[in-house]
Structures are given as structure tokens and as C-alpha cells.
Amino acid sequence: MGMCSLSLLESRLRRDRGGLGPDVCIDSRKVTRGSVFVALPPVGVVGEHAAGGAAFIHDALARGAGYIVCAPEQAVACPADQVEVVDCAEPRKALGQLLRARYGTDLLSFPLVGVTGTNGKTTCTYLLAHLFEAAGRKTGVLGTVAYRWPGHVEDAPMTTPDCPDLHAMLAAMQRQDVGIAFMEVSSHALDQERVAGLEFSGAVFTNLTQDHLDYHGDMDRYFKAKARLFRELCSSSAVRVVGADNEWGRTLLELVPEAWGYGLQAQPAGAAFLGGEMISSGTAGLRLRMRYAGKTWELHSPLVGRFNAENLLAVQALALGFDLTPADFQCFETFNGVPGRLERIPNPANLDIFVDYAHTPDALVNVLTSLRGAGFQRIVTVFGCGGDRDRTKRPLMGEAVARFSDVAVLTSDNPRHEDPEAIMADVMPGLKGAGQVLREPDRGTAILKALDLLKPGDVLLVAGKGHERTQQIGDVKHPFSDQRIIREILGCA
């Protein structure tokens, strides 16, 4: 017992490479005899102070921890006669080092690709998995909808798993002979070092628009968190692709000159670039023409809207860097979308109904302009804003709906610990220009009222929750699915 260096503890864990040695835990309740407990510092949330792991060191000791890894100021209070203590200045980064030693994730047998950005992460990871599976590769996907690889699928409680779960999942993928893995990497995960200890072979930046300012404080901090994936976590040979139709993407291309750009607009000076052109866009989907390095090709996709054209460019740019060819991209003709991402709900009344996860102003604009461009007579939009989140985006979401919808049905999203009526009041200033507004705090009733308004030629968009199967009110997550509600109302459940 006594003090132990981080490198020595790594060596001990590496001896039992493959996860057979002691657990590495950040939750004291998971500690068993001999475990390594890493006391993480509090999360740096703006206006919020989460409890740090130091408060649970004594609980970890009581459960039989063999090692305590903590900041130097906590190490002095650890009973060195009972446990081996590792003090380090950055426990979050140390956690990644220990986990890769335990699970062997520093020697992954497959490339790991991270996808970051405000919008498009989920669609890009699913498009990439579809593409590489069509090319004969086993794939793993970690993201907002699910964590899945051959023989395993589970609902995702968060976009990017906690660091211990992430390393364990990647090790499980390795045991299943996965050929390539695609992971949504959130700004929270980057800021909190949830991807510590990993090296990425590829990275995609889709775009950056206002979101998560309740956490990051301002757009500059939000951008810097995203940029870390490209500037700190990629291997020297990694394929990095960046959306250049977005101002923040162009800024990232200046910071990471080795990255490729992609987009529907003009090529930035000096960047390797995959350009695209929308030949057509309608209810039947997209037809695109691409150009790169003197070559041109076309493809058709059932996906709709400009934002999906950008997503298709992103995955093609990444795939070209992994030696796939335009001939491989024809598989996108059979990709019909991601659950909750402009998901069409078939029904016996032949009504045009879509469910989408759009929960930011920019995402709403993207989805609504896509529907407007498809030629529907009227757009009816059901939407709300989440509680305990960035309040400044609420009127902006109202403005987006007012600009592009004929009828706005304002309701609850996940109110969490806020009063739904108070959330809706924050949205209302943005809806002052709307043609027609209905307010209904009960989401199921709001969907029913919206369906009653639909006429032939209209389209209904139910936005904000997408693939989610619960609605959080207070601390309780109640079963709730927009898709299920719609199907029950229309008798096609």
C-alpha cells in the first residue's frame, strides 16, 4: 500500500490486457474488491457545479477499491495504509490511459471514425455504416439512437458513452471482428474527456449552429470543443473532412489545413475539396452530381432536402479517403433514412407525416425548407423546447417555425424540471409572425389536433423528439413515442 505512479498502474493493467484485470470505475457503486476508482473532477458546466468523484472516495474504499486515482489535493486525504494512491493533475485524461491499458483499445484492429457537429451526426454515421456494409465490412455504430455492432444492439442513453463504457464497447467490437466503427462525438463528450485514450483514424465535421450554450457559454467555446476532435485526437494519417458551407467549418479548415472540404457552395481557397450540385430535389428524393480531382459522378437518394445532400457529401468525402470509389456510392439508392430523422410515417389515410429530431433553430430551418421545397400545399409543425436547456434558442425556434410553416402547434418536448407553460411563453415571441398558432402543453393532444387540421396536399412535421421513446417530466421518463401516438390516432399501430 502507499503511493503508486500512473505508469506503473498502467503496466499492471496491461499485463491483463483484454479486460481480465481489475475494473476501472468512475462510479463508486460499481467498485468491487481490487478495483481502480478514478475520482473525476466536477464537470465544468456553466452555471452548474456537479459533484466531483472526490466526494465518493470513502464509499469506494468501503467497497474494497485497490487503487484511488485522484488530483493531488485529494491524494493527501487518502489512507495510504489501506489503498494504493495515484495522484495526477488530470484524472480525466488518466482515466483514458488506464482504460486503453485494460481493454487494449490503444491497439484497435479497425479504424475508428468520429463524427461531430450540431446537426447531421446520426444520419452520417448511419450512411457510413450502410456504405461500408455494402462494401463488405462489418461495422459498429455508437450514437444518439443506439449502440450496435454484430450480435449486439442497445438503446443509447447518451450520444457518446462514458469513457469506461466506450472502451468496453470498442473492445467488444474487436472481439466480434468489426472492420470499422463510426461514432457520434458530442461537444459534451469532448469537453469532458469521454473519448480520452482513443485515437481516431477519421473525423467528420458537419456544421455548427447555436445549441448547448447552457453548457458551453458561447459559440467560441462550443466550437473549440468540437475542434479538439480534429486538432488533438486524430492520428497523423487520419482522414479529416469538414463541411465548408458553414462559417465555422471554414474556420476549422483554416486551423486544420490537411483536412478535406466538402460542400454545395464554392471551394475555399487552398483546400482539397469534394464539390456537389443538387440536380433535383423533391418528394422522390435527391439527385446529386459530385466532382473531385477531375472526376464527376451522379447518384440518387430517397433522402430529401439540402441538409441531406450535405450529409451525403460528407460521407462520400470520408469514404474516398478510405479508398472507396464512386461506384460504391450507388448503394445510397437503397438507404431510406434513420429512425426519427425526417422519418415518414405510412398510414391508411395516405397523409404525409414526418417525425424528425430537429430541436435547434438551424435544424428546424433545414427540415422545414426541405419540406417547403418538396411542394406541399401547407406545412403544419408540432414542436416544443426542452426544459433545463438553453433558453436563448427558444424564440429562435419559434421564428424558424413561423417563417416556414403555415400552422404552428406549440407543445411540450421534455420539460424536465420546468413548467411547460413557462417554456412555451419563452417561445411565443418568436411566433408573432406565424399565420396560425395553437398552444397545447400535452404533446399527445397536440399531435391529435395537428392531425385534425391536415388536408390532402398538406404535410405534418412532428419535431424535436425523433427516435426518443420517453418524455422526461421532472426526474421521471414516461413512455412516449411520437411515431406510436401518430399510429394509434390513425389506427395503424
Side-chain angles (χ1 to χ4, degrees), residues 149 233 261 313 459:
W149 55 90
L233 298 170
L313 287 176
V459 64

Side-chain angles (χ1 to χ4, degrees), residues 338-357:
V338 179
R341 271 38 177 205
L342 210 55
E343 176 186 359
R344 187 186 288 270
I345 309 298
N347 60 87
N350 290 320
L351 297 170
D352 290 302
I353 303 166
F354 292 87
V355 172
D356 193 85
Y357 191 52

